[in-house]
Amino acid sequence: MIVSKKRRVGAGLGAAALALALMTACSSSDDSQTPSEPEAPMTEHDMHATTDESTPTPGASADPATTITIRNFAFGLPGSVSPGETLTVVNEDSAEHSVTADSEDLFDVDIEAGATGTVTVPDEPGTYSFHCVYHPEMTGVLTVE
């Protein structure tokens, strides 16, 4: 059977039109639906959403002047604090730590991994050494003025 060139072109155009019609039908949308908003990227706060809401999340905007931050098995301390002041202790590590005075049982608080606690500093001005009971190499000195 001999097929003319004209017939082959016509068949090709018909197939292209059919393919275009199918693509248009598959991609059409229902105008009655409202398009959804693009999902916002996950924030640091979202990643810690399972923590107790009454406890500030590690990395939250805590006042550095009244915060002891535990990160990478080290204490980050404020420059100096006022007598009797309550400090926030933020444990950003994956291990439990403590803030324990070296002498006189002045303060001792355990902070679970990823949790936050508080410690009240002594009423008398001076320098007060402390450590972590779980990791004795972790030490610090509070300056009370």
Side-chain angles (χ1 to χ4, degrees), residues 2-86:
I2 300 175
V3 178
S4 73
K5 191 174 187 179
K6 196 185 262 187
R7 187 177 250 191
R8 279 188 284 166
V9 172
L13 288 175
L18 178 62
L20 182 60
L22 287 173
M23 288 189 324
T24 304
C26 291
S27 66
S28 68
S29 63
D30 182 2
D31 291 338
S32 65
Q33 293 180 358
T34 306
S36 62
E37 293 288 320
E39 196 168 309
M42 187 174 265
T43 65
E44 184 72 18
H45 177 354
D46 295 334
M47 291 180 214
H48 296 287
T50 58
T51 60
D52 179 11
E53 290 297 318
S54 64
T55 302
T57 315
S61 57
D63 181 2
T66 60
T67 303
I68 297 173
T69 303
I70 302 171
R71 183 183 303 130
N72 298 323
F73 290 80
F75 294 109
L77 302 171
S80 65
V81 295
S82 300
E85 187 168 10
T86 299

Side-chain angles (χ1 to χ4, degrees), residues 83-101:
E85 187 168 10
T86 299
L87 301 179
T88 301
V89 183
V90 179
N91 182 356
E92 295 183 356
D93 282 344
S94 59
E96 181 177 4
H97 293 294
S98 78
V99 177
T100 306

